Structure formats: structure tokens, C-alpha cells
Amino acid sequence: MKGYWLEGLGVVAQVLLYYLWPMFAGPTDGIAVVLLIFMGTLVLSGALGMGSGKRIKFLYPVLAGVLFLPSIPIYYNESAWIHALWYFAVSAFGIAAGSLIRYLFLTLQEKGRK
């Protein structure tokens, strides 16, 4: 497990988004919290996709969906279960986009060396 600090940092940041961010939101800010977590998940997963060269990063979308589940009874009502699927989908898109950007950047860098 040595050398997975970037992936671990992404998971810690995601946990902070799910559990600390809603603590500071007011009762009428529910949709804003969901949208900010949505955008944060996209940015974190994109950064993880661009920064990590390890295959374990592809487990991140599953973790993003599963880590949201315990926050539902704490901050939300039962209608929020569907958001776990949205966070999975958004983080899968972010990982794919970040990995594609990383691949294109490395390919262009290799062509520039030749």
C-alpha cells in the first residue's frame, strides 16, 4: 500500500465533503449543499484521475457512492438515497475525464521528446 497517498488524500477530502460541509449549512441550504458536494466530487475525482497513475483510482467512484450512505440518516431524509448513485456516476465521469487528460498529456509529452 506504499505510495497511495494521493488516493488516500482524495478519500479523506471526500469524507470531509460528506460529513463536515453539511454541518455548516443552514436548514434551507439543502440543495446548495448537494450541489456543492456534487461539484466537489467532480473536481476531486478529476484531480485524482489526472494525478494518479495507479489502477486503484478506479475504485474511487465506488468509494464515493458508499461513503455517502452513512451521511443520509445524519443530515438528510430517505429521499437522498439516490444521491449515492449520482455521486458514483459523477466520480466515475471525473476519473475517466482525468485519466483521459493524463493520457493525452503524457502522449503529447512523449511526442515532444522525439
Side-chain angles (χ1 to χ4, degrees):
M1 295 305 278
K2 193 174 183 180
Y4 290 105
W5 66 271
L6 182 63
E7 291 82 3
L9 188 62
V11 171
V12 168
Q14 193 71 43
V15 167
L16 292 175
L17 266 174
Y18 288 158
Y19 296 99
L20 255 69
W21 184 259
M23 271 201 256
F24 300 109
T28 60
D29 296 339
I31 193 68
V33 169
V34 169
L35 289 175
L36 287 173
I37 292 174
F38 185 82
M39 293 305 294
T41 301
L42 182 63
V43 169
L44 280 172
S45 60
L48 187 63
M50 285 188 286
S52 175
K54 308 220 177 359
R55 291 183 186 246
I56 196 168
K57 69 183 173 188
F58 294 107
L59 292 176
Y60 182 75
V62 174
L63 282 173
V66 170
L67 287 173
F68 180 73
L69 295 176
S71 73
I72 293 171
I74 298 171
Y75 297 113
Y76 310 106
N77 58 25
E78 59 275 351
S79 67
W81 290 100
I82 192 72
H83 292 299
L85 294 174
W86 283 110
Y87 293 138
F88 169 79
V90 166
S91 60
F93 175 77
I95 287 287
S99 296
L100 179 65
I101 291 169
R102 178 184 172 85
Y103 173 76
L104 292 174
F105 178 76
L106 292 176
T107 303
L108 289 175
Q109 191 176 23
E110 285 295 320
K111 285 184 179 179
R113 289 184 188 166
K114 292 181 180 181

